[in-house]
Amino acid sequence: MRQPARSPLSRWSHRHWLLAGLLVFLTALVATIVPGLAKATRKPPAQTGLATVELPLPAPAALPAPDARAAEEWLPVTVEAGQTLGGVFEELELPASLMYEALDVPGMREPLVRLRAGAVLEFQLGGKDGLRALRFERDEASRVELRRQEGRFVARVIERPLERRVMTASGEITSSLYAAGHRAGLGDAVIHQMANAFSYDIDFTQDLRVGDSFKVIYEEIWRDGERLRSGGVVAASFTNRGKEFTAVRWERNGKMEYFDLEGRPLKKSFMRMPIEFARISSRFNPRRKHPVLGTVRAHKGVDYAAATGTPIMAAGDGRVSFAGWQNGYGRTVIIDHGKGVTTLYAHMSRLGKHKVGQRVQQGSIIGYVGATGLASGPHLHYEFRVNGVHRDPLTVTMPKPDPLTGAELAAFRAATAPAVAQLKRVGGVQLASR
Ligand SMILES: [Zn+2]
């Protein structure tokens, strides 16, 4: 993260850098104009490049005084992790009273207090109060400028309308999904989202084959003629080993989800593995010899060997019913998923942020791999219980998530029909000519 100006000294060096930059720019400008002049006056125009070297640099005195220029200059300050707005004002040696005045401008308190690490505040320093103006991005679609006028802040909101562009792409797998996606002009965010949507049906590390193909309709968010970010995948289809899967985006209960054409969620109630980059080191086994105790004891879960600190995810949506230390299990989290299903995650080096009673979403990080309790090395011990009975998480029939039905299914079909029709047309020409 960049350092904001810490003292008047560093602010001065900031201005000096700008001066130096301006000199370099002027030199470059002279360098590009002068060869042309040399050509016109000298013949033959040999070694025109040399002419630029001998030219005197413009004297710094010819430039506007730093103070006059500083008045127009915006000093950007990036908010650091853990830094408050007060901290930013303090670093710039601006009185706290100015900050309180800014917070009291109607509509400003909430966006200013909400500014997070990485957000940029820009200041025009100087003037009677030490501050001429302050500006920041209130949200994606607007920027606010607070300018001192007669001893008070006057706010100006500059709206920056967002534009949603619908894009289409298609491709065929020759090596990896990412390679094919990049060839089709897709960014990593879109490829990742497409892979995620299909990840419950297709194991992209093992099932992918050369000749598999995809079609995707996605959005891009543009602002002021510039691409701001991906707007996500609207619909996609993926043909894996001759079988076609379709994903259509639809908002249910305020959450974006992907459904198949019949309105069944692609996302299953539980992930196959609550951890990435891990291998199974011990399976569910009612008669296993315990690696630490040496006695025959049922192994009532699956062990995933992984490096200490590897994130552990909630296998499904639910509520944290335990987070703490348990004998043998070490640092442990238990999640209650409702309908009699609980999952347990043991031997953590560190617990996640969730407290007992808090809701967690499938995939959110609830802790980190470790070797606490009775463990021979760092691994996740994962248990799946149905009505209190241990089941093998690798073979248990997972409860199915609710499909869309009735009026909601009808609304889903009507709203997504254009995208589904468009999806069928994507890449159609190429397919016909092949
Ligand atoms: Zn285990």
Side-chain angles (χ1 to χ4, degrees), residues 124-327:
Q124 268 185 16
L125 299 172
K128 206 161 65 249
D129 308 320
L131 177 65
R132 287 192 166 93
L134 155 68
R135 72 180 180 190
F136 63 98
E137 291 205 354
R138 186 171 65 174
D139 50 50
E140 254 181 11
S142 66
R143 152 180 272 178
V144 173
E145 187 177 304
L146 296 172
R147 187 163 287 280
R148 297 294 284 173
Q149 273 171 20
E150 288 152 21
R152 60 200 334 239
F153 279 114
V154 176
R156 191 162 69 99
V157 178
I158 303 125
E159 298 292 346
R160 310 165 84 192
L162 299 180
E163 187 198 340
R164 209 168 274 276
R165 294 190 187 176
V166 177
M167 320 282 286
T168 62
S170 63
E172 198 175 290
I173 310 300
T174 51
S175 55
S176 74
L177 177 63
Y178 274 83
H182 289 155
R183 245 190 346 264
L186 299 176
D188 283 353
V190 170
I191 300 171
H192 183 74
Q193 202 172 26
M194 183 165 64
N196 248 355
F198 292 117
S199 65
Y200 297 89
D201 296 303
I202 305 166
D203 178 347
F204 283 99
T205 60
Q206 288 186 33
D207 300 345
L208 208 60
R209 292 291 179 275
V210 168
D212 282 359
S213 60
F214 64 85
K215 301 181 201 177
V216 58
I217 300 172
Y218 61 102
E219 288 175 333
E220 284 191 341
I221 309 299
W222 286 62
R223 187 181 66 192
D224 302 336
E226 267 180 56
R227 188 187 174 279
L228 196 64
R229 61 177 169 83
S230 161
V233 172
V234 178
S237 71
F238 198 98
T239 303
N240 175 232
R241 299 197 257 184
K243 191 176 176 201
E244 189 181 39
F245 299 88
T246 306
V248 186
R249 188 171 72 182
W250 175 253
E251 191 182 321
R252 171 157 74 169
N253 305 328
K255 246 168 57 188
M256 285 298 187
E257 280 185 60
Y258 288 97
F259 295 85
D260 69 9
L261 295 174
E262 279 71 49
R264 289 182 297 248
L266 296 191
K267 177 181 156 176
K268 305 295 184 274
S269 300
F270 291 89
M271 299 165 84
R272 236 186 287 193
M273 287 166 68
I275 183 168
E276 278 180 312
F277 317 114
R279 64 177 175 85
I280 295 171
S281 55
S282 180
R283 290 177 183 269
F284 187 85
N285 182 354
R287 307 185 49 79
R288 182 185 70 154
K289 198 172 174 198
H290 195 276
V292 176
L293 299 175
T295 53
V296 172
R297 255 172 69 148
H299 188 229
K300 292 176 168 178
V302 174
D303 289 349
Y304 292 100
T308 299
T310 304
I312 299 166
M313 296 174 279
D317 295 349
R319 204 177 281 279
V320 176
S321 61
F322 181 87
W325 190 276
Q326 282 205 357
N327 266 345

